[in-house]
Amino acid sequence: MNPTEPLFGPHLKGFPTGQTPLMREQIARQGWQLLRGDLALPLAVIRQSALQHNLHWMRDFCAQRGLYLAPHGKTSMSPELWQMQLDAGAWGISFATVFQAAVGARHGVPVLLIANQVIQRAELDALAVLHAERPALRSMFLVDSVGQVDAIEAWATARGFAGRFEVLLELGIAGQRTGCRTADEARQAAQRIHASPVLQLAGIECYEGTTATCDHAKDRATVQDLMDRVEATAREAIAQGWFAQDEVILSAGGSAIFDLVAERLTPNLGRPVRGVLRSGCYLTHDHQRYTRYLCCVAERLNLRETLKPALEVLACVQSGPEPGLALLSMGRRDVSHDLDLPLPIWRSDGQGGAPKAVPAHWRIDVLNDQHAYLRYDPSAPKDEWPALGETVASGISHPCTTFDKWRWLPVVDDGYRVVDAVTTWF
């Protein structure tokens, strides 16, 4: 990557076709105002005020509990946003694949936590290259079976690899994702890692996010059982001398019930413990699924304020073919739809008028590749009907699957003036 090359240009969806390519620092100078239609829609945008609020909120949440943050970088795959997270105190950045981790390393991320199993020879090759290129880089990945250790050692023998990878032993939940299901499986894997000339055990990891229900008692019981297993495994590993270093890393935390695992990430083990939270969606949050989860977090912690939605997708009303239906210029190529459909939140006349809340009867019920079906009550007053050419902003559910549809996102102030921009590297 040549840092002198323009990062933003007409090859990017939503960027002006006739505009000369720009460096990031030139973006704010263009004076683009989205409410008057300076950029073509659809366009995903990040609200700067909410973004800054969320950075500081999570920083304070971790600091108050003595935790370290390694937010999941796969959420945005944005080097600019990762740097904001690091500048706000993050210890490192988590990733799901070696490819993602390599993007992070090449953009200056100092600690890579690959929260997934690494077993493919090509991925192990890539990880070895990253460390050869960057001797100061720290990385770790997950192991959950003796068979995975065997495969890694076979790769190392075939390649003549003489180094050692740091790994975390993963504990899993029956019926959920990866990770050792039983204490005996965990014990065997930990012993095998300790005996391996290629690996060194740095800590224990788990993931609770897929179990969230917003039933406080049920969620607490699930997390307590999981974290009891993590603590018991860590104590046994200490007693047996399986950890490679004096410090033990304990890591957990999705973006739904992270407050519950946070209570158990720094147990007294008689040696230094680094509790690492990996929540990723907190950065831009959302208007639906995670908003519901954070309402539950607020109830448990008696909080008056938590995270704020920062990610919106703006579209144009491009057709009103029949009463009760308008078509917006966004679809599955532009906005997430895996958890919930987009939620209309405000409208503007597209000529500089201030945003105002959409009528309560507006809803999006279908997405095509490039269209959203906006339904409304045709018996409502005409000024509550979507107007041809106006801008409609929608809140999203699950930021990960909106980010991956864009290669750049403008950052806007509260008046929807473009003040910055970020790139994504999916």
Side-chain angles (χ1 to χ4, degrees):
M1 181 183 68
N2 183 349
T4 65
E5 291 180 357
L7 294 177
F8 304 91
H11 61 290
L12 299 171
K13 178 173 63 174
F15 193 91
T17 298
Q19 172 70 56
T20 302
L22 301 171
M23 297 292 289
R24 181 185 176 193
E25 60 267 22
Q26 297 174 299
I27 293 289
R29 301 176 202 160
Q30 306 309 304
W32 291 329
Q33 164 56 263
L34 301 189
L35 297 179
R36 67 177 182 228
D38 287 351
L39 298 179
L41 306 181
L43 192 63
V45 303
I46 300 172
R47 292 181 57 242
Q48 185 182 53
S49 59
L51 178 70
Q52 291 299 316
H53 168 86
N54 295 343
L55 282 165
H56 297 151
W57 189 93
M58 186 58 82
R59 177 199 63 194
D60 294 345
F61 177 91
C62 290
Q64 291 162 7
R65 291 159 177 80
L67 299 177
Y68 293 81
L69 182 63
H72 223 314
K74 72 175 176 63
T75 297
S76 67
M77 282 305 293
S78 172
E80 296 85 4
L81 293 178
W82 299 335
Q83 190 59 54
M84 291 181 197
Q85 292 172 302
L86 292 168
D87 290 343
W91 173 64
I93 302 292
S94 294
F95 296 98
T97 68
V98 174
F99 163 75
Q100 294 173 0
V103 175
R106 288 169 178 149
H107 283 89
V109 176
V111 178
L112 315 172
L113 200 166
I114 303 171
N116 209 346
Q117 282 64 35
V118 176
I119 190 170
Q120 299 176 65
R121 287 171 292 176
E123 285 205 316
L124 292 162
D125 288 343
L127 199 53
V129 167
L130 284 181
H131 280 277
E133 291 176 347
R134 294 164 177 78
L137 181 69
R138 186 178 188 188
S139 76
M140 56 201 76
F141 60 84
L142 309 186
V143 171
D144 69 353
S145 70
V146 169
Q148 183 187 355
V149 179
D150 291 341
I152 293 168
E153 289 183 349
W155 164 84
T157 299
R159 294 291 193 269
F161 178 73
R164 300 187 79 179
F165 293 126
E166 281 192 279
V167 299
L168 303 176
L169 176 68
E170 182 175 32
L171 304 188
I173 300 172
Q176 299 296 322
R177 289 199 325 210
T178 50
C180 300
R181 292 332 198 218
T182 68
D184 189 53
E185 289 173 348
R187 185 177 301 112
Q188 291 178 24
Q191 289 176 315
R192 187 70 180 80
I193 293 167
H194 176 66
S196 174
V198 184
L199 304 176
Q200 47 188 353
L201 185 61
I204 312 294
E205 183 273 353
C206 65
Y207 175 66
E208 79 299 331
T210 54
T211 68
T213 65
C214 267
D215 179 320
H216 295 321
K218 187 173 183 179
D219 288 344
R220 186 172 290 279
T222 299
V223 168
Q224 289 293 92
D225 178 68
L226 178 61
M227 299 310 292
D228 282 348
R229 292 170 53 209
V230 168
E231 185 171 335
T233 303
R235 292 188 183 281
E236 182 175 9
I238 289 171
Q240 298 297 329
W242 292 336
F243 288 122
Q245 306 294 335
D246 189 47
E247 179 185 79
V248 175
I249 294 173
L250 299 183
S251 180
S255 298
I257 49 176
F258 58 87
D259 61 308
L260 296 177
V261 295
E263 298 173 359
R264 300 289 303 276
L265 282 176
T266 54
N268 183 0
L269 299 179
R271 61 166 63 188
V273 175
R274 185 183 295 267
V276 179
L277 202 63
R278 300 194 310 278
S279 309
C281 294
Y282 81 89
L283 184 60
T284 59
H285 198 42
D286 72 11
H287 284 81
Q288 298 191 74
R289 187 64 59 96
Y290 287 108
T291 289
R292 294 193 288 272
Y293 286 139
L294 263 291
C295 286
C296 296
V297 171
E299 289 176 7
R300 287 191 292 267
L301 299 181
N302 194 28
L303 300 176
R304 299 176 67 180
E305 184 177 61
T306 59
L307 301 170
K308 296 182 179 181
L311 186 58
E312 301 173 359
V313 179
L314 279 55
C316 173
V317 178
Q318 66 180 58
S319 178
E322 61 189 59
L325 173 64
L327 278 299
L328 305 182
S329 62
M330 71 173 185
R332 295 172 181 160
R333 304 288 179 92
D334 312 301
V335 67
S336 56
H337 54 89
D338 54 316
L339 297 182
D340 304 283
L341 289 169
L343 178 71
I345 54 175
W346 60 260
R347 62 193 296 199
S348 170
D349 61 14
Q351 300 179 46
K356 57 183 179 180
V358 303
H361 51 88
W362 285 23
R363 74 187 192 284
I364 292 171
D365 67 352
V366 174
L367 290 178
N368 295 154
D369 284 355
Q370 310 288 174
H371 296 95
Y373 291 63
L374 175 61
R375 307 287 181 178
Y376 63 94
D377 182 357
S379 67
K382 288 292 182 70
D383 63 358
E384 292 188 7
W385 290 25
L388 198 65
E390 77 174 326
T391 298
V392 176
S394 292
I396 56 96
S397 188
H398 196 194
C400 301
T401 50
T402 291
F403 271 112
D404 68 6
K405 294 167 175 57
W406 298 90
R407 297 299 167 263
W408 81 302
L409 292 90
V411 178
V412 300
D413 66 14
D414 289 342
Y416 289 86
R417 290 174 289 269
V418 178
V419 296
D420 195 3
V422 302
T423 59
T424 68
W425 292 66
F426 287 96

